[in-house]
Amino acid sequence: MVSPAAAQDRDSQPSSLAAASSVPESADQDGSSGNIVVTGTRIVRPNNRSAAPILTTTAAEIAAQGATTIEEVLNRLPQVQVNSEQNFSDSEGRQRIKLRSLGYERTLMLIDGLRIGLPNSVDVGIIPNALVERIDVLTGGASSVYGSDAVAGVVNFILKKNFTGVRIDGNYSFFNHNNRRSAVTDAAARAGFNAPLGMKNDGGRADISVAAGADLFGGSVNISGFADYRQSSLVRLRDRSNAVCEVITSSRTSPLACSRASYTPAGTIIPQAGPNAGTQYVNNPNGNGTFIPINSGGAGSSANPYDDWAFQRPFHRVNAGGFLTAQLDDHVELYSNILWYRDKSYNTQLNRVLSYSALGTTPYQVNCDNPFLSASQGQTLCGANAGVAGQFAPLDVRYRFDSQPLVRQEYINAGYRITAGLRGRVLDNVWSYDVAGMLSRAQLDTIDEPFASATKVNRSLNVVNVNGRPTCRSVVDGSDPACVPFNAFAPFNNDSALNNYLYGGATGGIAKRIPRLLQFVGTVSGDLGKYGVTSPFAEQGIAIAVGAEYRDEMDRTDYNEIFRQNNSSGANSRVTQNILEGNVEIQAPLVERQSWTKLLQLNGGYRLSKYNRLDDKFGTWKIEGIWSPIEDITFRASINKSQAAPGVGAAANASNISYNRGFYADPCAPQVNASNPNGPRVAPSWSPQQCARTGLATNLYNSATLICPDDRCTVREGGFALRPETAYGKTFGVVLRPRFVRGLTVSVDRWLIDLQDQLEFFNPLDWINGCLATGNDYYCRGIKRNADGTLSSPTTGSPATGWVSRGSTNGYKSKSHGWDFQGQYNVGLGSVGSLDMSFNGTLMTLVGSQGAPDITPRDCTGYFGSGCGESMPTWAHQFRTTWTAPGRVASVSLNWRHRSAMPMTVYAPASTGIPALPEADKRDAYPGIKAYDWFDLALTFDINKRMTFRLAANNIFDRDPPIVPDSRSRIGLLRGNTIMGYDLLGRQLVAGVSLRL
C-alpha cells in the first residue's frame, strides 16, 4: 500500500496499519541513530525533497498481508510485473523484482542504499520480512545516483536496526480453496484423469523470527542480531481443479483437451525399426500380453505428464544476521551488518525410465528371445526374428513407475552479505561523509533428479531364460552380477528391486553457480549555504554530493562429473568484470517561502562509468525540478539518462553456447490434433508462404520428416554478442494537499521510459512467430534449418544448423509509458477512532518494442500471449481502507485489488503493431482474461502492551485464476493453465503474533 509523495515527517505518522505506507519527500530518520536514509539521492540534508515518485510499503503492511516472502509483498504494487519465482516449478527458487515490465536486470535492488548483490543473480529472500522497516520503490531511472541497472527503478529495503530488547514475530498461513467444476475438469474427465472437487485446506506456510538487541557503553554502541525460519508446503498442480491437467486446444472452436504423457504407468513401447517404427504403443492394461495404441483406453494407457508438478513447491529457508553501530566520537560512527541465508526447495518428478533420446542417439535394444515378450509383442518388435536367439530389436521404452517413490530436482540457494563503513559529520557539521564496503556472495546449486543410464536399461532388457527364471544376460556372463531383469512388456511394473538397480546409488548432476560482488562506495555531502552559497530568495543553500564507487563482479559456474556425463556438456566457467565510477549531485533551492512561490528547486546529477570490458567510458545524468506555487500544489519533473552495460552473467550466458531439446514443435510440420491426439496429425496453421520465411523449401511444407523427436526441437542457448543499452526516463507530476480538506494528499505522475539497444531475452517461439508473421531478418536470424528442413540436431557438439536460438540479444527499442495515481486521506472520527484510506493505481499507456528500424513498433499494453509474453494490464490498482480504534489498540482494514481485462495478442488490431497470428490461433471461448477484483481483510489488535495479534484473509471470495489454454506454448512457462498476476491458489488465511519482551 502506498500514498503520494508528500512532504511528511514519517516519525509523525501513526503506528497503526493505516500508516502502512507513505512516500518520502522529506528526509527520513533511521531508528534511534539519527542517520538520514534517503532513496534516490546521496545528498544528506534535512527536509530533502524528491522530484521523482517514491512509493513506500512499511512493516505494518507486510505484517497485515501475512506474506512469507518479500516478492509477495511487492507483487501487489501495480508498478511491479508479478512473478513468483520462489514457488512455481519452472524456476530456480530465487526471488527477483521486475518493475514496469522492463525485466529483472533493469531493476536495481538495494539494502540501506548499497547493492544486495550481483545484478540478476540476487535473491531478495536474504531479507527476512520481520526485519524490514520499509521498502522504498523509486520507479524511474536512477543510474546517475546508483549506477548501472537502475533503468526501470530502484527497490531499496530499509532494515530495522539499533533496537533494544527482544522481539518475536510469527505468522502461519494456509489456503482454503473450493475446487469447482470447470471446462478443465470436463477435459480431465474426457481424458480419464481424476479432478479434485470441494473444499481443500493446503499450502501451509510458516515464518518465525527472533531478534534481540542491546545498547552498550552508555548507548554509544548498539549490537543486535536475528534468526528467521520460513517454510512452505507442497501444493501440486493436480491439487487444483483448474490445473489438474494442462489444457490445450486445436482450433478456435474445439473444446479443451488435456495434454497426454508419452510416459505411461502401463509402459510405453515405441519400435524403432520395421513396419511399426515410430508407432507409440502401450502394454495392454488388462495384462493379456498385447500392445495397444497409446491413449486408446484403459487405466494406465494414458497419463498426465504433470501429475506431481508444483503449483507451490516446498521450501525451507533460514536467515540470520547481526548489526553493529558504534559512535567512536562526535564525528565518526562505525556501522556494520551481516546477513546470511540458506534456502532449499525441490520439484517432485515422476519416477520413470527416460527415453533413449534424452540420453543420446542410440535406441535401446531388446533381445528377440526375451522371455518377457509374448508372441504378439515379439512379432511387433522383431518381425520374422521373433523368438530367435542372438537377434535384437531397437526400441524406445518410456515407463512410469507410479508405485515407486518420486524423485526430486533440488535447488539450494545460499549466501551472505557483509557491509561495513564509517560515517559522520565534520567541519562544524557542514559536511557529511559515508565510506562503505560491501561483499556479497551466493551459491546457487541445481541438483538434477537421478536417472537410469542407458547401459543399465539395456542390460535389464537383455534377458534370457535360466532354468525357467528370467535372468539378465549380464548376470550369466558375469559382466554385471547385480542386474535385475526389466519386464517392460507388462503393465504396472512395481518391482522395487528393479527400481533399486536402475536408480540405486545414482545421484543427479549438480550445476553450481557462484555470483560475487565487491562494492566500495565513498560519498561526501555538504550544504554550501553555510558558506553563503544561497539563492537570495531561498533559506537553504545549495547542497552537493561527490562520490566514487568501485565494483568487482565475478560469476562462476561449476559442474560435477555426473552432470557432464548426463548432459554431455558442462564446461566450468569463471568470468569477471570491474567498474570504476565517479558521480556528483547538486540540489539548488532557488525560491523558498516567498509570497509568490512556496518552493522552486532544481536538482542535477552526473555519473561517469568505466567498465573494463568496454572500450569507452559512458556517462549518465539527471535533471530534476520541484515547483510549489502555493502550499497546496507541488509540480515536479525529472529527466534521466540511464545506461546499463551487459552484466557479467549476461555476457557469460551469451558467450557460452550450448544445445538442448526445447519445448516447441516445428510449426511447419504436421501438428498433433489436440482433440484427437491418437488420430492423424493436422496441417500447420501457418501458410506455406509464411513457412518459407523460416528457410523451409515449399515442397517440404507439412512433411512428416519435419517432426522433431517427441515434438521437441533443438534449442541453441546463447551466441549473440551484447552491447550496452541506453534509457531516457522522464516523469512529470503534481502533488495536491488542499488545506481545505485536511489529511488529503493526491499525486498524479506521467512517466516515460524509452530504451535503445535494449538487452532482451528471446525464447524460440519469439523468433519463430516473429519470423513467420513478418519475415524480417531480425527474427529469422534466430532460426537455422538443416539442409533437409528439420529443426532437430544432436545436442552434443556444435551443430551449425538444425536449431532455434534462445537467450539474450540486443534489440532496437523498447518503451514503457504510463500514469501513476496515488492518494491518501486520513480523517479523525472523534471518540470512535480514525479512518485512513490509501490508493495506488497505474495506467499503462505503452508497453512497446521495436525490433529493427524497418519493423512496425509494437504496443503490448493490456495484451498477453505470443509476441508480448505476459505484458502488463492497462489498469491496476489497490485501495486500502482502515479503521483504527481509539488508543490504536485495534484496527480493521479492507484492501481492494483490481486488474483490467487482458485479451490475447491474436485479437490485437493491426494498429498495435503486434505481429499478426493465424486466424486458427483464436479461441472463441477463451479470447482473453476478464477484469479481476480481489478483496483482502486484515484485523490487528493488541492483547496487551507487549503482544499484538493479527488475522487476515487474502482473496476472501476465493476467486479462481483465469483459465488460459495453451499457456505453456503461448507464454513459455508451465503455470497451471494461467499466468502470473492472479491469486493462483485461492483464499489465503493468515494468523500472526508479535511479542515485545
Side-chain angles (χ1 to χ4, degrees), residues 776-860:
N776 194 288
D777 184 62
Y778 174 75
Y779 298 105
C780 298
R781 64 191 169 118
I783 305 171
K784 301 294 182 184
R785 290 188 179 273
N786 289 318
D788 60 2
T790 59
L791 288 173
S792 181
S793 292
T795 57
T796 57
S798 300
T801 57
W803 42 259
V804 178
S805 289
R806 182 176 186 266
S808 295
T809 183
N810 279 99
Y812 179 57
K813 291 183 178 179
S814 185
K815 299 176 184 289
S816 184
H817 297 174
W819 294 83
D820 281 337
F821 301 86
Q822 279 90 45
Q824 186 168 351
Y825 183 47
N826 314 115
V827 58
L829 301 177
S831 61
V832 295
S834 62
L835 191 67
D836 304 278
M837 289 173 281
S838 179
F839 179 85
N840 176 27
T842 291
L843 176 68
M844 299 294 299
T845 59
L846 179 61
V847 180
S849 64
Q850 186 177 3
D854 56 345
I855 292 178
T856 303
R858 181 184 310 181
D859 182 5
C860 290

Side-chain angles (χ1 to χ4, degrees), residues 89-90 234-238 305-311 348-350 352 974:
S89 58
D90 294 311
L234 174 67
V235 179
R236 298 164 297 189
L237 290 171
R238 63 184 171 101
Y306 307 110
D307 287 51
D308 286 280
W309 285 53
F311 229 152
T348 50
Q349 302 283 342
L350 295 164
R352 56 188 178 170
L974 174 68

Side-chain angles (χ1 to χ4, degrees), residues 633-857:
I633 303 174
T634 298
F635 297 99
R636 58 189 180 191
S638 68
I639 180 170
N640 292 267
K641 178 191 177 186
S642 300
Q643 196 161 10
V648 63
N653 291 336
S655 60
N656 293 337
I657 300 175
S658 62
Y659 298 84
N660 57 60
R661 294 288 179 189
F663 45 77
Y664 71 96
D666 191 330
C668 301
Q671 305 294 296
V672 172
N673 186 343
S675 60
N676 183 21
N678 298 314
R681 290 187 174 233
V682 297
S685 57
W686 299 95
S687 70
Q689 293 76 21
Q690 289 171 316
C691 285
R693 296 169 176 172
T694 70
L696 183 69
T698 304
N699 65 305
L700 291 175
Y701 175 78
N702 197 30
S703 170
T705 61
L706 300 179
I707 300 172
C708 296
D710 204 23
D711 277 324
R712 296 171 62 231
C713 300
T714 303
V715 173
R716 186 192 73 170
E717 303 279 358
F720 292 98
L722 304 179
R723 59 184 181 274
E725 64 180 15
T726 302
Y728 292 93
K730 298 176 282 290
T731 62
F732 312 93
V734 60
V735 180
L736 305 176
R737 299 191 70 192
R739 283 167 287 182
F740 56 86
V741 185
R742 182 178 176 84
L744 175 65
T745 304
V746 176
S747 72
V748 180
D749 290 278
R750 171 66 165 163
W751 50 271
L752 307 100
I753 302 174
D754 298 330
L755 278 167
Q756 300 173 0
D757 293 328
Q758 84 273 13
L759 297 163
E760 55 187 338
F761 192 88
F762 268 60
N763 280 306
L765 287 174
D766 296 320
W767 300 108
I768 291 171
N769 290 333
C771 180
L772 288 164
T774 70
N776 194 288
D777 184 62
Y778 174 75
Y779 298 105
C780 298
R781 64 191 169 118
I783 305 171
K784 301 294 182 184
R785 290 188 179 273
N786 289 318
D788 60 2
T790 59
L791 288 173
S792 181
S793 292
T795 57
T796 57
S798 300
T801 57
W803 42 259
V804 178
S805 289
R806 182 176 186 266
S808 295
T809 183
N810 279 99
Y812 179 57
K813 291 183 178 179
S814 185
K815 299 176 184 289
S816 184
H817 297 174
W819 294 83
D820 281 337
F821 301 86
Q822 279 90 45
Q824 186 168 351
Y825 183 47
N826 314 115
V827 58
L829 301 177
S831 61
V832 295
S834 62
L835 191 67
D836 304 278
M837 289 173 281
S838 179
F839 179 85
N840 176 27
T842 291
L843 176 68
M844 299 294 299
T845 59
L846 179 61
V847 180
S849 64
Q850 186 177 3
D854 56 345
I855 292 178
T856 303

Side-chain angles (χ1 to χ4, degrees), residues 19 35 84 122 126 141 143 153 271 287 316 348 443 458 495 512 724 740 748 883 896 898 908 933 980:
N35 298 306
S84 185
V122 167
I126 194 173
S143 287
H316 298 268
T348 50
Q443 182 168 312
N458 274 320
D495 188 345
K512 191 184 303 290
F740 56 86
V748 180
W883 169 79
W896 169 29
H898 174 85
D933 295 279
M980 291 296 177

